[in-house]
Each structure stands twice: as structure tokens, then as C-alpha cells.
Amino acid sequence: MRRDVELQIITEALQKMGPHSPATRIWGRAPGATSEQGAAGNVWAGDVHDVAVHIATRLYGHPSATTAAASPRAQAEDAKRARDLVGEIGALMQGDEALTSAPWYPARRGDVVLVHYEQAGEFPAFGETYVVDDADGGLLGMRLLAHTLPDTMDPAEVEGMAGCFAVESADCPLYEVWFEAGPQRLTIVRDGRVVHAGGAR
């Protein structure tokens, strides 16, 4: 898992700090404290692993989170099956908040949306590339540009799988793919720069 690798790299970097390698604990001085003020209350110590988890969580999310985490819609469906109305509504509201509060929201013409799907049974892992474009009435659409499904697949199967998140016209063409596939499977590129890197983790 990518996050485990990132955590391992951070842990090894911390272990190699200082003259006593490999380190098992890290010591520090509180901000503003000087050596003359070095009272015990100004000094802290932390286990290398705990510090590495803290850094990895701040950068990438908690290492225990998986790339195959459930999408907002799947979380809501799970809560519905468990007869958890609060959980169902909460999952949908959190998904909406995560989308609409993103610094790059709303979608713009020219945005490129990459979707990654993990292997599922006999179906291989594959990806899709969409582009956001103008639609009638000042709305936006999203059309499929390419997919990486194998050429050996039955065309009927490919047609049923590829392009399912294409949108002809909508206020927010990203809404369905965000809720159904999940933000963790998406990479969104704007003006040649990645603005959302969920699919890269």
C-alpha cells in the first residue's frame, strides 16, 4: 500500500537523524526555549514511529486508510443497510462538503479527470480519462477521452464499463464520479497541474 511505503520512508529518515543511528526516540526543545531556559518543561521526546505516523498523517492521511476506501455513496449504502439514518445522511453530507469546500471547486472547462479502478475479481485494474467541457445553457459536461481496458475484452463489456461517468449537461459534472467512484480514486488536473491527487495515493 502506498501509504505504508510513505510511512516507512519517513520512519527511516527520522531514525537516521543525529549521531546515534538508528534512533528510537527523538528529543526536541519547545519553541522559544533557549539552552539557558532549558527547564524540563521545555523539552519533549517522542517515539520515532509515533512522530513518523504524525507526519505521514498530516501529509497523506492516516496510514491505516486504504486506497480502496468506500466512496461516499457506498458509505451511505452501508449505513442504510445497518439502519443507521444518521450515518447515511452524514456520509452524504461529508462527501458533499469535501467536494464543495475543495479549493479547486467548482469544475472548469478543460479540467481533466482521471479515474482509477482497482482489480475486481476477473476484471483487471484500469483507468479512464475524462475532460470537462461546455454544455448548453451555461452548464458543463464531461466526456470520456480514453480508457485502459484491454483490447481483448468483449466490446459489449467495455461499453458497459467505460464512460459510465460521462455527463451531457450539469451544474457540477464531477458530482456523480465523486460520490460513486469516490474522491480517493480521482486525480483532477487543471491548467497542467494536479489540483486533486486522490488517485495517486
Side-chain angles (χ1 to χ4, degrees), residues 70-96 179:
S71 67
R73 183 66 50 82
Q75 292 177 39
E77 290 296 325
D78 288 344
K80 184 176 182 179
R81 280 190 291 275
R83 300 177 187 272
D84 178 6
L85 181 60
V86 173
E88 180 184 357
I89 295 171
L92 296 174
M93 289 178 65
Q94 286 175 6
D96 184 76
F179 274 80

Side-chain angles (χ1 to χ4, degrees), residues 24 32 46 60 133 156 159 170 175-176 201:
T24 57
Y60 312 110
D133 213 341
E159 187 176 341
Y175 195 84
E176 187 174 356
R201 294 183 181 170

Side-chain angles (χ1 to χ4, degrees), residues 29-64:
R29 192 175 302 281
T34 65
S35 56
E36 293 80 19
Q37 300 169 328
N42 291 330
V43 177
W44 62 268
D47 180 80
V48 166
H49 176 72
D50 292 341
V51 175
V53 169
H54 176 75
I55 293 169
T57 300
R58 294 294 299 269
L59 289 173
Y60 312 110
H62 198 278
S64 65

Side-chain angles (χ1 to χ4, degrees), residues 119-124:
Q119 181 176 351
E122 61 187 47
F123 293 104

